[in-house]
Amino acid sequence: MPRTPARRRTRRRLAADAGLLVAAAAFVLPLAWVVLSALDPRANLRVKVPDGVTLDNFDAILTPEITFTPLLNSLVLCGGATALTVACAALAAYPLSRFRSRLNRPFLLTILFATSLPITAIMVPVYALFVRVNMIDTMQGTIFFFAASQLPFAIWLMKNFMDGVPRELEEAAWTDGASSFQSLLRIVLPLMGPGVAVVTVFSFVMMWGNFFVPFMLLLSPDQMPASVSINDFFGNRGMVAYGQLAAFSIVYSTPVILLYVLISRRLGGGFALGGAVKG
């Protein structure tokens, strides 16, 4: 009888480990397929070790028309929209974090509601609006819409991070003659570096993988980003260039990985404000 509770705990641990292994396999198998198929001259939907390793799939896709131009378009679209999103989110979150008003809570709830709107539900009126204002098939118009669609959640995140910066630090800067805008740039944003990094990565990743928005708002093939041009690997009648698709997926994922690596130190940093307002 004393062993029964121990056996139950052991069974629960085994069940939890089995569940975690299944979840890990669900993530690892697609990644394994991408890596192995990119090196397989006869790649298909099966996850298998290639009979012979080749780089022909990478040679086939590393051309300006297939990879370099779409990637450059993606960097311009997502980079510009991310910079605009972060800047606008910081300016919008600052008064919400620093000033108390009866409208703060309704405004934040409206922002939260805006994050739940499916993008497909608003694309038809957005398309009609862009046609009317002559912004259809323009990079700047797509950048503005990317930023506008990502801004509600970015404001919500930025405001929560900004609440962690002590107001006393700003008051000391105001005493020295700094304006609110100067204290935001020189005090608040540097101290909430991890929060800015989170908003940057989140916004960039969400835009980088967006297919529907550029597919609807951009018409010229030379302006299409990589998230849309990847569709070219799916041919007619179910014919798919699996090896080239896998190789393109690896190249397509590289900028996001590099962005995360570059700012990973800020993501794990923390605010380190302990004792900053003492004395």
Side-chain angles (χ1 to χ4, degrees), residues 94-129:
Y94 182 75
L96 292 173
S97 174
R98 289 300 186 256
F99 303 104
R100 297 293 178 260
S101 171
R102 294 180 179 178
L103 299 178
N104 280 12
R105 182 175 176 81
F107 183 76
L108 289 173
L109 292 177
T110 303
I111 290 177
L112 185 62
F113 172 75
T115 62
S116 64
L117 289 175
I119 198 71
T120 54
I122 61 174
M123 281 310 300
V124 172
V126 167
Y127 183 86
L129 174 64

Side-chain angles (χ1 to χ4, degrees), residues 32-108:
W33 179 87
V34 169
V35 174
L36 295 176
S37 298
L39 303 174
D40 191 348
R42 292 177 293 276
N44 52 39
L45 285 175
R46 294 177 55 193
V47 180
K48 61 184 179 66
V49 178
D51 299 332
V53 177
T54 180
L55 296 178
D56 292 342
N57 293 322
F58 289 95
D59 292 337
I61 67 162
L62 293 178
T63 62
E65 296 80 10
I66 297 177
T67 300
F68 298 134
T69 300
L71 278 180
L72 179 60
N73 293 336
S74 292
L75 289 173
V76 172
L77 284 174
C78 301
T82 299
L84 185 60
T85 299
V86 173
C88 293
L91 293 175
Y94 182 75
L96 292 173
S97 174
R98 289 300 186 256
F99 303 104
R100 297 293 178 260
S101 171
R102 294 180 179 178
L103 299 178
N104 280 12
R105 182 175 176 81
F107 183 76
L108 289 173

Side-chain angles (χ1 to χ4, degrees), residues 27 57 76 138-139 163 173 206 212 230-231 236 253 271:
F27 285 96
N57 293 322
V76 172
T138 61
M139 297 288 281
D163 288 342
M206 295 299 292
F212 192 62
I230 196 174
N231 190 53
N236 296 326
S253 304
F271 292 108

Side-chain angles (χ1 to χ4, degrees), residues 180-275:
S180 297
F181 185 72
Q182 289 174 330
S183 66
L184 172 63
L185 291 181
R186 299 180 181 181
I187 304 296
V188 179
L189 291 180
L191 290 176
M192 54 174 290
V196 176
V198 168
V199 175
T200 301
V201 171
F202 181 84
S203 301
F204 187 86
V205 170
M206 295 299 292
M207 298 172 190
W208 187 260
N210 194 304
F211 167 84
F212 192 62
V213 170
F215 179 76
M216 291 290 295
L217 300 182
L218 295 175
L219 307 177
S220 303
D222 59 338
Q223 295 191 97
M224 291 296 179
S227 60
V228 177
S229 66
I230 196 174
N231 190 53
D232 295 338
F233 293 101
F234 296 88
N236 296 326
R237 300 180 181 178
M239 299 298 294
V240 182
Y242 291 107
Q244 296 180 20
L245 175 62
F248 185 84
S249 299
I250 292 177
V251 177
Y252 176 52
S253 304
T254 302
V256 176
I257 297 174
L258 290 177
L259 175 64
Y260 178 78
V261 170
L262 288 175
I263 66 175
S264 59
R265 295 180 180 178
R266 304 303 300 272
L267 284 173
F271 292 108
L273 295 178

